[in-house]
Amino acid sequence: MTISHIDPEYQASAIEPNVQQDWEARKVFKVADTCEGKHRYILSMFPYPSGRLHMGHVRNYTIGDVISRFHRLKGETVLQPMGWDAFGLPAENAAIAHQVAPAKWTFENIAYMRDQLKKLGLSVDWDREFATCTPEYYHWEQWLFVQLYKKGLIYRKLSTVNWDPVDQTVLANEQVENGRGWRSGALVEKRDIPMYYFRITDYAQELLDDLDTLKEGWPQQVLTMQRNWIGRSQGMEITFPSANPELYADDLTVYTTRGDTLMGVTYVAVAAEHPMALQAAENNPTLKAFIEECRMGSVAEADLAVAEKKGMATGLFVKHPVTGEAVPVWIANYVLMSYGSGAVMAVPAHDERDFEFANKFGLNIKQVIDAKGADDAEFSSTQWQEWYGSKEGILVNSAEFDGLTFQAAFDALIAKLEPQQLANTKVQFRLRDWGVSRQRYWGCPIPMINCETCGQVPVPEEQLPVILPTDVVPDGSGNPLNKMPEFYQTSCPCCGADARRETDTLDTFVESSWYYARY
Ligand code: ANZ
Ligand code: ZN
């Protein structure tokens, strides 16, 4: 290629197409599977094929490309691949809006965006391009799922989702607008359905510890965010024995980080889904209606945190583990079923949420920590003050524990209650196991079979991949796979009886989690 005259201005449109054609013809960025000498693998996050590139893509892929070219100039063999993280909800939304199959929409977007990316002249080995929505890729995702399942690292349990009673479908949090379904406008309910979980909490401590091994270059805020996300919390479980065994036999266990405040407990609060709440509601229509009310609305933790405090007494009581006094059991909407044991010992004097709740419902407030070195005179039970929540103080109004510090009280309580099996130390993580089931069509089919006799059975490896049919146009009323017997009718790999294939698909973040290992 020759350029006949030297133009003082860089003419991208005159120069680049020629150069790029030449690169492509000579496959200059192609990398063999094995290579000698120094080599490097540089991977940028794959784009989602949303339709068109935006400047964020340009910036992102330029950074990876600069690094790749730098190392190539130093004589290293550099693999820079590109692909498409191609399952996900936008394709289904487009299907509903324009009556087009998600597969068709996705592959058209890929074709367009690939052209755009190529015009940027990235030093990518395009021969290795793939899309995560193809069976060639998700075959191995299903294989991985089966291995993890067999190792006990995937399990199934009920979990709560947003349910649209008109569209008869599960909604993602972003499809809930002001408590209503985005399409139907119906009031969203909560519903419990079985889902698969990755047991990531088994690795919580390891994840936390290994943050310390990340060296220079990691911004402190990022490390802090990660630590908070893992959220290690050290506290104790305390048991409140049932005071009405004829009505409710089980003892109530709570998780607390503030065992030192035990003598300040004036009520205990359970989540609306807690077995004790359900039991109390059995013959009590008012409670039942209240629990129903709590089931309405979003399941997002952020929404719950700012929601107005709601509560109702169950009529049940438990015994205070130290004094034996009867403590009322309330249902409160600020208690999460998914954290700790779904129950809290409420200490209104030292916990802001309990304080607000107690003031609203006229429950007792008893100061047991003196953080100011002053006496009760400074304590007002109608106006929350920052120092009420402090751990730095000494115990007051706490009988035998008076005068102790936080740590001394913690130790004294364990020494007293552990032999009676009423308390034990406990480490708790914020991190949840990862629920990966989605009641959606455009995703990787979960390779499981539901048999009435054998339960959940993984699809045998030689039958993988379970292929997702691609000629489907969802209409927004539930997962179309549920209406396709040709997809879900199968036989049990164990006993041969008629069985039903799982129609849920995997969260698209499962694809994103492992393509780094694809090369
Ligand atoms: C009594 C208490 C007194 C508490 C006090 C705090 C201050 P972290 O640090 O995030 O682990 N809690 C426990 N389980 C809960 C649930 N399922 N839903 C909502 N809140 C729950 O928080 C632990 C504290 O959060 C626990 O300590 C408990 O309230 C509350 F002055 O127990 B605490
Ligand atoms: Zn079977």
Side-chain angles (χ1 to χ4, degrees), residues 461-476:
E461 282 169 39
E462 63 278 9
Q463 289 176 24
L464 295 178
V466 177
I467 303 255
L468 183 74
T470 49
D471 52 351
V472 175
V473 183
D475 62 6

Side-chain angles (χ1 to χ4, degrees), residues 122-297:
L122 305 174
S123 57
V124 161
D125 180 354
W126 282 102
D127 285 354
R128 293 174 184 259
E129 174 198 356
F130 70 89
T132 59
C133 61
T134 57
E136 293 73 33
Y137 180 76
Y138 67 67
H139 178 171
W140 298 105
E141 184 158 313
Q142 293 173 341
W143 179 87
L144 216 62
F145 185 99
V146 170
Q147 310 310 313
L148 293 173
Y149 186 81
K150 288 181 178 162
K151 283 208 175 337
L153 289 169
I154 292 178
Y155 64 95
R156 194 173 186 247
K157 76 160 190 206
L158 285 181
S159 67
T160 311
V161 294
N162 303 307
W163 176 255
D164 183 323
V166 169
D167 269 349
Q168 295 283 304
T169 193
V170 173
L171 300 177
N173 283 337
E174 60 269 26
Q175 294 176 322
V176 180
E177 293 163 358
N178 300 321
R180 292 177 182 272
W182 66 312
R183 270 170 31 89
S184 68
L187 272 180
V188 170
E189 297 167 9
K190 292 181 195 168
R191 196 174 255 216
D192 290 327
I193 60 171
M195 301 220 238
Y196 286 98
Y197 282 82
F198 284 10
R199 216 181 275 286
I200 59 173
T201 51
D202 272 15
Y203 301 89
Q205 189 63 49
E206 204 176 312
L207 274 172
L208 186 63
D209 292 343
D210 283 0
L211 286 177
D212 296 334
T213 67
L214 296 177
K215 302 262 157 52
E216 317 94 80
W218 288 90
Q220 208 49 49
Q221 315 92 281
V222 171
L223 296 177
T224 304
M225 243 153 63
Q226 290 288 318
R227 279 196 190 93
N228 292 343
W229 182 254
I230 298 166
R232 187 180 196 274
S233 150
Q234 180 137 25
M236 58 172 93
E237 283 179 324
I238 301 183
T239 298
F240 289 68
S242 173
N244 329 81
E246 68 292 354
L247 295 176
Y248 188 80
D250 291 342
D251 298 338
L252 185 73
T253 297
V254 303
Y255 173 71
T256 178
T257 45
R258 294 296 308 274
D260 58 318
T261 63
L262 179 61
M263 302 304 278
V265 171
T266 57
Y267 66 102
V268 295
V270 298
E273 305 93 330
H274 192 280
M276 200 155 182
L278 301 178
Q279 172 74 40
E282 208 69 336
N283 301 309
N284 184 333
T286 324
L287 266 185
K288 212 172 223 159
F290 177 68
I291 290 174
E292 253 333 288
E293 190 187 328
C294 291
R295 294 178 68 81
M296 296 291 199

